Amino acid sequence: MEERLKKLKKATKKLQILNQNQRADLILNIASAIEQNMAKIIKANLIDLQNAKDLSPALQDRLKLDEARIKSLADGIRDIAMLKDPIGKIHDGWSAKSGLKIEKISVPLGVIAMIYESRPNVTAEVAALAIKSANGCALKGGKEAINSNLALANIIKDSLGEYGGCIEYFDISRDEVKNLIKMDRYLDLVVPRGGEGLVKFVSSNASVPVLKHDKGVCHIYVHQDANIQKALNICINAKCSRPGVCNAAESILVDEMIADEFLPLLKSELDKFNVIIHGCDKSKQIIKCQSADELSYYNEYLDFELNLKIVSGFDEALSHIDEYSSGHSEAIISDNYSVCEMFLSLVDSACVYANASTRFSDGGEFGFGAEVGISTCKMHARGPVGVDELTTYKYIIRGDGQTR
Amino acid sequence: MEERLKKLKKATKKLQILNQNQRADLILNIASAIEQNMAKIIKANLIDLQNAKDLSPALQDRLKLDEARIKSLADGIRDIAMLKDPIGKIHDGWSAKSGLKIEKISVPLGVIAMIYESRPNVTAEVAALAIKSANGCALKGGKEAINSNLALANIIKDSLGEYGGCIEYFDISRDEVKNLIKMDRYLDLVVPRGGEGLVKFVSSNASVPVLKHDKGVCHIYVHQDANIQKALNICINAKCSRPGVCNAAESILVDEMIADEFLPLLKSELDKFNVIIHGCDKSKQIIKCQSADELSYYNEYLDFELNLKIVSGFDEALSHIDEYSSGHSEAIISDNYSVCEMFLSLVDSACVYANASTRFSDGGEFGFGAEVGISTCKMHARGPVGVDELTTYKYIIRGDGQTR
């Protein structure tokens, strides 16, 4: 493995000498190769699907690659090629007292390891994002998608010609992954993307820096001055439009003052999706629902299930979010200007919304193009991780013989 | 300990509600309190100095606080108060396709733990940098400075009045430090600042993200088109002006074409400082010096001692730096425009210089004010770490009822 990583690092150096047009061309090659090899990919995917008969229909669907999905994958990759180049951007520049001219410019991180589960698209998307940001990439997907992933990885490597060495797929065991994520001599970053178990496994075993994509326990706070119709739309959208994703809401907090009016309306909308409600004691006096306990509020249900809590006002909402949020995305619904601004300022999460659904926390919706994931770390990158977040910076200093 | 950290986190929340003027005032209070309590600090420092009789004169000097040093410490802290506020800076802002207005703004990291050795000034400087960036701060200094550190920490806490809780000094054992740096529920970042042993201990035991200040194996590459006088000045400055610091040069690479001319001149300058030279075989044919072996080139001497190597040209210099550099600071000395630009572009270190001494890699010289250290990490912050590097960002999103 060390030998492979050494080669990967060397191939990455070669990639980094290319200019932005050359890197964009490599990415366009990937997109074309994926379309041209559609039959091969579908064949490999069918084997994975056959082996996945015991998985839930939702997971089987995530695994599936058909003609339409492969076409859309290729289009997505072309979009990545067209993104503004993230390398060589001058973040800042100034003359120091010594007369030195200092520039802070964006540079690639180096080699990124991506440990992921399920959707085989990730293999191609991450390869393209890595090349766009002039990074090398070690990929390790879930075993349920191994045939699809290997087919994609081989097609990608072939399409890159002499630069194929900068993408490496590691078909390795969990124990070997444990070794991989300790190789800080060759790897600059590891991104775990998948269930809570995977994320914990990677963060507790890595000595390479980890960009965590942790769970999303997202809150919607319906303030007493909320526009009731907007609040209803947003709550339903945030919970029910796609409950299995990290930016879906898991808890709704409602101001006491409007609970009598709002809760029955909310319940009748949630009932249309058969949402299981875990309510606080006060909620249970207004609508029929299950009981929430202290631990419910930490849950990421990822399903048609949510927590409901009546709060006395802004302060209680804020301290509830402080305690139970995973720092992903939270929203307030209110027409009160200063309350909204206070919420936006005081809530310490990656994405904080006023009067919009938490479902917008997404690289595509933010305009970043495809994303590597949503970071719940505070270090390095927070929120959607696109190509800009896969860079670091260095200082370039031009002098004329200065000594100190 | 957990109880103290919980309180620290809570006190930090209170600090974060203050505006920039209020935070600057708190820092000015620290500076005044330090001056007013000068006698108390010197008294405590004398106990440390008495206990340090067995340490080297250099270490004793680092430990010492006298009237002039305390005055200059207070002035440095006033400078920190006057820095541009790093919080609430809008890094970027745009309207998304959905009509959402997205802003990316700088926010505090949260609570920072600083594990450091020797200079007691650090206690006050880091406290001031933390408050400037609206972060709480857990401090743990070396046992050799314990009396000075405790005196300073108490004076600082008193001067902060009701905000004193956001600075906590931990007078704890190494085993307890091991626990402290695993408290990722309360701490957002740990910065180790000291010898290689301390940095390794912290990075290998922390589950809190670490901002490493690793060793500085800095290179000067004297290219064949170098102005010889500038090259000599810079080499001598980079090695001899303060050999014990991380931005001092440890290795000098000289182009073959000019070695016969340059090496004798360099040697006669280095001899004035009694610098021990570890030369490659070719160097030894030109000047009298010790032999460098493969491992010498990884050394951070931190003393009047350096490696000297003759290289065949740019490519060999680059691959030598790639292999042996610790990613801190490197310089090229050349009057050739394209060679300088290639060096600036291809060398992957935090600070890359053309025609200037590596000794400028410093928060003060960069114009950042005081610094927490020089990061050799690629993630989050690279190079000098000032108040801006003690922040993260969040996205604030203003909508009008948008759902997805």
Side-chain angles (χ1 to χ4, degrees):
Chain A
M1 181 151 66
E2 198 169 341
E3 212 38 56
R4 281 185 77 189
L5 288 172
K6 206 179 271 181
K7 273 191 195 156
L8 174 52
K9 192 172 175 177
K10 211 170 161 188
T12 302
K13 289 264 169 200
K14 208 172 136 189
L15 174 74
Q16 290 172 349
I17 300 171
L18 298 183
N19 65 34
Q20 53 177 287
N21 290 334
Q22 293 169 312
R23 274 184 279 114
D25 284 345
L26 288 180
I27 300 169
L28 293 175
N29 288 350
I30 295 178
S32 308
I34 285 175
E35 284 179 338
Q36 282 155 19
N37 290 282
M38 202 176 270
K40 213 184 267 181
I41 299 168
I42 291 176
K43 202 174 149 192
N45 187 248
L46 279 176
I47 306 176
D48 287 333
L49 287 172
Q50 243 142 21
N51 295 338
K53 288 265 181 285
D54 294 341
L55 296 183
S56 73
L59 283 179
Q60 288 190 39
D61 184 63
R62 277 167 67 93
L63 193 54
K64 191 176 171 183
L65 287 174
D66 55 22
E67 203 164 311
R69 284 187 180 179
I70 294 174
K71 181 81 188 59
S72 125
L73 173 62
D75 287 342
I77 286 171
R78 284 195 187 95
D79 290 344
I80 293 174
M82 294 306 131
L83 288 175
K84 194 159 180 251
D85 196 75
I87 300 303
K89 185 171 166 181
I90 300 175
H91 293 302
D92 205 354
W94 65 96
S95 290
K97 283 184 188 161
S98 51
L100 292 175
K101 283 168 281 173
I102 304 179
E103 275 178 12
K104 180 180 179 177
I105 67 160
S106 66
V107 295
L109 276 172
V111 181
I112 295 164
M114 181 88 191
I115 318 288
Y116 54 107
E117 282 167 346
S118 238
R119 284 197 317 125
N121 314 30
V122 172
T123 309
E125 284 165 6
V126 170
L129 289 168
I131 292 175
K132 185 72 190 180
S133 49
N135 289 297
C137 189
L139 296 161
K140 160 71 178 90
K143 59 181 184 313
E144 70 289 349
I146 181 66
N147 294 287
S148 319
N149 284 336
L150 279 176
L152 278 166
N154 287 329
I155 291 163
I156 292 167
K157 282 175 74 72
D158 283 351
S159 76
L160 296 175
E162 56 173 320
Y163 299 96
C166 64
I167 306 289
E168 281 291 304
Y169 192 88
F170 288 80
D171 179 15
I172 54 177
S173 68
R174 209 172 165 89
D175 266 355
E176 288 168 307
V177 170
K178 216 168 168 175
N179 278 335
L180 180 78
I181 59 183
K182 289 193 201 300
M183 297 277 180
D184 47 13
R185 202 173 145 76
Y186 306 104
L187 297 175
D188 296 285
L189 175 67
V190 53
V191 184
R193 180 166 163 181
E196 220 180 324
L198 175 74
V199 175
K200 271 205 179 135
F201 174 76
V202 170
S203 2
S204 55
N205 288 296
S207 39
V208 176
V210 179
L211 203 58
K212 255 195 284 192
H213 170 146
D214 213 345
K215 62 181 181 177
V217 181
C218 305
H219 294 78
I220 310 273
Y221 167 41
V222 184
H223 178 254
Q224 63 178 77
D225 297 336
N227 173 310
I228 296 295
Q229 192 51 51
K230 282 182 191 167
L232 280 174
N233 292 345
I234 289 171
C235 287
I236 297 304
N237 178 264
K239 177 75 262 183
C240 306
S241 61
R242 223 178 139 192
V245 292
C246 60
N247 56 22
E250 304 295 353
S251 289
I252 295 178
L253 311 175
V254 179
D255 264 355
E256 206 163 30
M257 293 271 287
I258 54 164
D260 283 327
E261 177 192 358
F262 187 70
L263 259 54
L265 295 170
L266 178 66
K267 168 139 173 86
S268 86
E269 291 298 322
L270 290 171
D271 281 348
K272 294 181 188 164
F273 295 90
N274 297 315
V275 175
I276 300 167
I277 303 172
H278 302 265
C280 63
D281 290 344
K282 285 184 190 165
S283 318
K284 286 171 64 190
Q285 287 165 19
I286 303 174
I287 57 164
K288 217 186 133 196
C289 61
Q290 298 195 12
S291 287
D293 58 36
E294 174 80 4
L295 289 178
S296 315
Y297 294 116
Y298 290 110
N299 265 350
E300 185 188 31
Y301 294 111
L302 294 172
D303 210 336
F304 290 101
E305 201 167 350
L306 66 69
N307 300 312
L308 184 62
K309 189 180 185 183
I310 294 177
V311 292
S312 56
F314 184 83
D315 290 345
E316 193 184 344
L318 197 67
S319 59
H320 181 95
I321 291 172
D322 251 9
E323 177 60 34
Y324 297 100
S325 161
S326 62
H328 191 298
S329 301
E330 333 292 339
I332 184 172
I333 319 300
S334 175
D335 282 342
N336 182 312
Y337 173 84
S338 24
V339 168
C340 286
E341 290 299 316
M342 274 207 297
F343 188 87
L344 293 172
S345 153
L346 295 178
V347 171
D348 184 21
S349 293
C351 306
V352 192
Y353 294 82
N355 296 308
S357 167
T358 53
R359 290 277 291 106
F360 286 101
S361 293
D362 171 89
E365 291 294 335
F366 269 44
F368 293 177
E371 64 181 25
V372 165
I374 311 263
S375 164
T376 51
C377 293
K378 281 191 177 178
M379 296 290 292
H380 192 76
R382 226 179 166 191
V385 177
V387 284
D388 282 321
E389 288 70 31
L390 296 181
T391 67
T392 179
Y393 57 83
K394 71 177 176 187
Y395 293 102
I396 281 184
I397 305 112
R398 294 179 176 86
D400 188 28
Q402 279 88 343
T403 56
R404 187 180 165 198
Chain B
M1 181 152 66
E2 197 169 343
E3 213 37 57
R4 281 185 78 191
L5 287 172
K6 205 180 271 182
K7 275 191 194 156
L8 174 53
K9 191 172 175 176
K10 211 170 162 188
T12 302
K13 290 262 170 204
K14 210 172 135 189
L15 174 73
Q16 291 173 348
I17 300 170
L18 298 184
N19 66 34
Q20 52 177 286
N21 290 335
Q22 292 169 312
R23 274 185 278 114
D25 284 346
L26 288 179
I27 299 170
L28 293 175
N29 288 350
I30 295 179
S32 308
I34 285 175
E35 285 179 337
Q36 280 155 20
N37 290 282
M38 202 176 270
K40 213 184 267 181
I41 299 169
I42 290 176
K43 202 174 149 193
N45 186 247
L46 278 176
I47 306 176
D48 287 332
L49 286 173
Q50 243 142 21
N51 296 338
K53 287 265 180 286
D54 295 340
L55 295 183
S56 73
L59 284 179
Q60 287 190 40
D61 184 64
R62 277 167 67 93
L63 194 53
K64 192 177 172 184
L65 287 174
D66 55 22
E67 202 165 311
R69 286 187 179 178
I70 295 174
K71 182 80 186 62
S72 125
L73 173 63
D75 286 342
I77 287 170
R78 284 193 187 96
D79 289 345
I80 294 173
M82 294 307 131
L83 288 175
K84 194 160 181 251
D85 196 74
I87 300 302
K89 185 171 165 180
I90 300 175
H91 292 302
D92 205 354
W94 66 95
S95 289
K97 283 183 188 161
S98 51
L100 291 174
K101 284 169 280 173
I102 304 180
E103 275 177 10
K104 179 179 179 177
I105 68 160
S106 67
V107 296
L109 276 171
V111 181
I112 295 164
M114 181 88 189
I115 319 287
Y116 55 107
E117 283 167 346
S118 238
R119 284 197 316 126
N121 315 30
V122 172
T123 308
E125 283 165 6
V126 170
L129 289 168
I131 292 174
K132 185 72 192 181
S133 48
N135 290 297
C137 190
L139 296 161
K140 160 71 178 87
K143 59 180 184 314
E144 70 288 350
I146 182 65
N147 293 288
S148 318
N149 285 336
L150 280 176
L152 278 165
N154 287 330
I155 291 163
I156 292 167
K157 283 176 74 73
D158 283 352
S159 75
L160 296 174
E162 56 172 319
Y163 298 97
C166 64
I167 307 288
E168 281 292 305
Y169 192 88
F170 288 80
D171 180 14
I172 55 177
S173 70
R174 208 169 165 91
D175 266 354
E176 288 168 308
V177 171
K178 216 167 166 174
N179 279 335
L180 179 78
I181 59 182
K182 290 194 202 301
M183 296 279 179
D184 48 12
R185 204 174 143 74
Y186 306 104
L187 297 175
D188 296 286
L189 175 67
V190 54
V191 184
R193 180 165 162 182
E196 221 180 322
L198 174 74
V199 175
K200 271 205 177 133
F201 174 77
V202 169
S203 2
S204 55
N205 288 296
S207 39
V208 176
V210 179
L211 203 57
K212 255 195 282 191
H213 170 146
D214 212 343
K215 61 180 181 177
V217 180
C218 304
H219 294 78
I220 310 274
Y221 168 40
V222 183
H223 178 254
Q224 60 177 80
D225 297 336
N227 172 311
I228 296 293
Q229 192 51 52
K230 281 184 192 165
L232 280 175
N233 292 346
I234 289 170
C235 288
I236 297 304
N237 179 264
K239 177 74 264 184
C240 305
S241 62
R242 224 179 138 191
V245 293
C246 61
N247 56 21
E250 304 295 353
S251 289
I252 295 179
L253 310 176
V254 180
D255 264 354
E256 207 162 28
M257 294 270 286
I258 54 162
D260 283 326
E261 178 192 359
F262 187 70
L263 258 54
L265 295 170
L266 178 66
K267 169 141 171 84
S268 85
E269 290 299 321
L270 289 172
D271 280 349
K272 295 180 188 163
F273 294 91
N274 297 315
V275 175
I276 300 168
I277 303 172
H278 302 265
C280 64
D281 290 344
K282 285 184 190 165
S283 318
K284 285 171 65 189
Q285 288 166 17
I286 304 175
I287 57 165
K288 217 184 133 197
C289 63
Q290 299 195 13
S291 288
D293 58 35
E294 174 79 5
L295 290 178
S296 314
Y297 295 117
Y298 291 110
N299 265 350
E300 186 189 30
Y301 294 110
L302 295 173
D303 211 336
F304 291 100
E305 202 168 348
L306 65 68
N307 300 311
L308 183 62
K309 190 180 183 183
I310 294 177
V311 293
S312 56
F314 184 84
D315 289 345
E316 194 185 342
L318 197 69
S319 61
H320 180 96
I321 290 171
D322 251 10
E323 177 60 35
Y324 297 99
S325 161
S326 62
H328 190 298
S329 300
E330 333 292 338
I332 185 173
I333 318 301
S334 175
D335 281 343
N336 183 313
Y337 173 84
S338 24
V339 168
C340 286
E341 288 300 314
M342 275 208 295
F343 188 87
L344 292 172
S345 153
L346 295 178
V347 171
D348 185 21
S349 293
C351 306
V352 192
Y353 293 83
N355 296 308
S357 167
T358 52
R359 290 276 291 107
F360 287 101
S361 291
D362 171 90
E365 290 294 335
F366 270 44
F368 293 178
E371 64 181 25
V372 165
I374 311 263
S375 163
T376 51
C377 293
K378 281 190 178 178
M379 296 290 293
H380 192 74
R382 225 180 166 190
V385 177
V387 284
D388 282 320
E389 288 69 33
L390 295 181
T391 68
T392 180
Y393 58 82
K394 71 176 176 188
Y395 292 102
I396 281 184
I397 305 111
R398 293 179 176 87
D400 188 30
Q402 279 88 342
T403 56
R404 186 180 164 198

